Amino acid sequence: MIDFTITGLDPALFAPLYDLDDTALAKRNALRMMVTEQPGFPCRVTLEDAAVGERVLLLNHAHLPDGPYAQRHAIFVREGAAAAGRFRNTIPDQLAIRTLSVRAYDAAGMMTGADLVDGRDLEATIEQFFNDPAVTFLHAHNAKRGCFAARIDRG
């Protein structure tokens, strides 16, 4: 078995947005939404689906900002999320219940492989990619909507 860690985004990136009013959020191309169903609003900080009645922010985030594979997409963040989810050698429910696109990258940020996987089979896919010593990290994306879901690192 290869050790791995799945980590949510740093909440400090989004904390300045939490207290903004809707007009100020709109100027940053973000908006506040009320969660109306669960699952359906996956927080990229806590790596949990927000509960019905919670507020989330919908915004665009550059999860791979540099290089030829630079990527950004819409994500949800729970309003007030204060701690990044961290899952060592376990798959968070948020990922396990979705079909995922998993992309492997080397230390230079070059994509070395990709696969579609049922979230329940994510652990086997992680092991398969990390069996290649050139792979430094993985990105999981929700396959249907294409949005970034989580980063996966060795260890």
Side-chain angles (χ1 to χ4, degrees), residues 7-14 17 28-30 44-45 57-66 69-77 139-141 146-151:
T7 308
L9 297 172
D10 181 356
L13 298 170
F14 311 104
L17 303 175
R28 290 168 176 80
N29 296 314
R44 296 333 190 283
V45 172
L57 301 178
L58 175 62
L59 57 113
N60 199 274
H61 175 71
H63 53 276
L64 197 58
D66 300 315
Y69 290 102
Q71 298 172 40
R72 61 182 308 123
H73 205 287
I75 62 168
F76 290 113
V77 173
H139 274 186
H141 295 253
C147 46
F148 173 77
R151 179 179 167 123

Side-chain angles (χ1 to χ4, degrees), residues 1 5 18 20-22 43-44 53 57 67 75 77 88 93 96-97 104 109 113 118 130-131 138 146:
M1 180 181 147
T5 303
Y18 297 159
L20 296 180
D21 64 26
D22 291 345
C43 176
R44 296 333 190 283
L57 301 178
I75 62 168
V77 173
R88 190 161 193 283
D93 290 342
I97 65 170
D118 183 299
F130 282 160
N131 277 330
L138 309 173

Side-chain angles (χ1 to χ4, degrees), residues 27-146:
K27 288 179 183 176
R28 290 168 176 80
N29 296 314
L31 61 101
R32 181 174 286 110
M33 299 176 72
M34 186 65 67
V35 174
T36 56
E37 61 183 305
Q38 187 185 29
F41 294 79
C43 176
R44 296 333 190 283
V45 172
T46 63
L47 299 181
E48 300 169 324
D49 276 85
V52 172
E54 281 189 87
R55 294 190 322 180
V56 294
L57 301 178
L58 175 62
L59 57 113
N60 199 274
H61 175 71
H63 53 276
L64 197 58
D66 300 315
Y69 290 102
Q71 298 172 40
R72 61 182 308 123
H73 205 287
I75 62 168
F76 290 113
V77 173
R78 270 186 168 127
E79 194 168 48
R86 184 173 166 85
F87 297 82
R88 190 161 193 283
N89 296 329
T90 189
I91 307 300
D93 290 342
Q94 181 191 98
L95 299 179
I97 65 170
R98 291 179 167 86
T99 302
L100 303 169
S101 168
V102 181
R103 302 163 191 177
Y105 297 91
D106 66 15
M110 296 301 294
M111 190 182 302
T112 64
D115 204 355
L116 287 175
V117 61
D118 183 299
R120 294 175 297 215
D121 301 323
L122 180 57
E123 189 168 349
T125 301
I126 292 168
E127 185 155 350
Q128 173 191 336
F129 279 128
F130 282 160
N131 277 330
D132 178 352
V135 174
T136 303
F137 66 95
L138 309 173
H139 274 186
H141 295 253
N142 293 334
K144 288 187 179 182
R145 300 216 179 206

